[in-house]
Amino acid sequence: GAVVSQHPSRVICKSGTSVKIECRSLDFQATTMFWYRQFPKKSLMLMATSNEGSKATYEQGVEKDKFLINHASLTLSTLTVTSAHPEDSSFYICSARDMPGDVNEQFFGPGTRLTVL
Amino acid sequence: GQNIDQPTEMTATEGAIVQINCTYQTSGFNGLFWYQQHAGEAPTFLSYNVLDGLEEKGRFSSFLSRSKGYSYLLLKELQMKDSASYLCALSPGGYQKVTFGTGTKLQVIP
């Protein structure tokens, strides 16, 4: 199956700093990538939908100026958590749709655990 | 919008069979996913049901009834490694976002 990677897998940062997380589709092109956040013992919450070459679509309640998303190519999307605070500590997971494969199947990256001190 | 309900936790014995239910309400429906997620890891795809009925894939089977807004995941011959959270997710259709349920945490005991 299709492979999606994320980097870094784990990051610890100080409050007020910015953190960039990369999501790459390794063996397929992804016009659409999704960014999720998952708090302990909770389900995945969609933060935003990232489309190559256009602005991301953010879910209600997600601050676009705090969570900057860039989808510059068909294989790479980045999420930057700006001015991170302890409440931003979470498990961030990206997923990507294969193109021109099944429009509904998503392939998930391994996730990035962010801890803000 | 969509609403998905799953039991929060379940416990089952190694070698047994367990059924994890998922009920949903949605304004649009294209298919229903089941994912497995081990603690600290990303979800992995198990099944995708579009039509009513049972689909079997090895030890795992998934059932869908669109008229009842109901699905279940059936795990047979349970193994300790099956201890994980199982997420039910709705696809409303086309390129619209997939909505995840809160997940059912399954614990397999010896």
Side-chain angles (χ1 to χ4, degrees), chain A residues 13 17 24 30 34 40 47 56 65 73 81 83 90 95 102 111 114-115:
Chain A
C13 69
T17 60
R24 293 181 184 274
F34 302 91
M47 299 175 66
D65 294 330
S73 76
V81 183
S83 187
S90 186
S95 71
D102 185 341
L114 170 64
T115 302

Side-chain angles (χ1 to χ4, degrees), chain A residues 2 5 7-8 16 20 26 28 30 32 34 45-46 49 56 86 109 112-113 117:
Chain A
S5 71
H7 177 80
K20 179 185 283 188
L26 298 185
F28 67 100
T32 304
F34 302 91
M45 297 300 296
L46 181 65
T49 302
T112 297
R113 186 161 301 282
L117 303 176

Side-chain angles (χ1 to χ4, degrees), chain B residues 16-35:
Chain B
I17 299 173
V18 70
Q19 177 174 311
I20 302 174
N21 296 323
C22 171
T23 57
Y24 63 89
Q25 297 85 39
T26 180
S27 55
F29 181 89
N30 195 65
L32 188 141
F33 292 95
W34 282 98
Y35 286 89

Side-chain angles (χ1 to χ4, degrees), chain A residues 63-79:
Chain A
E63 301 174 58
K64 63 178 68 176
D65 294 330
K66 181 171 181 60
F67 299 98
L68 301 178
I69 292 173
N70 184 289
H71 193 159
S73 76
L74 285 172
T75 59
L76 173 64
S77 176
T78 60
L79 168 68

Side-chain angles (χ1 to χ4, degrees), chain B residues 30-53:
Chain B
N30 195 65
L32 188 141
F33 292 95
W34 282 98
Y35 286 89
Q36 180 190 61
Q37 186 179 24
H38 286 98
E41 299 180 11
T44 55
F45 173 83
L46 291 177
S47 66
Y48 181 54
N49 291 64
V50 176
L51 301 175
D52 287 357

Side-chain angles (χ1 to χ4, degrees), chain A residues 38 43 59 97 104 106 108-109, chain B residues 30 33 37 42 91 97 101:
Chain A
Q38 187 175 34
S43 190
E59 294 300 302
R97 275 202 179 109
N104 289 303
Q106 296 181 52
F108 285 88
Chain B
N30 195 65
F33 292 95
Q37 186 179 24
S91 172
K97 63 183 181 182

Side-chain angles (χ1 to χ4, degrees), chain A residues 11-31:
Chain A
V11 58
I12 301 172
C13 69
K14 292 182 179 180
S15 184
T17 60
S18 294
V19 175
K20 179 185 283 188
I21 304 171
E22 293 186 347
C23 178
R24 293 181 184 274
S25 56
L26 298 185
D27 51 2
F28 67 100
Q29 292 183 324
T31 52

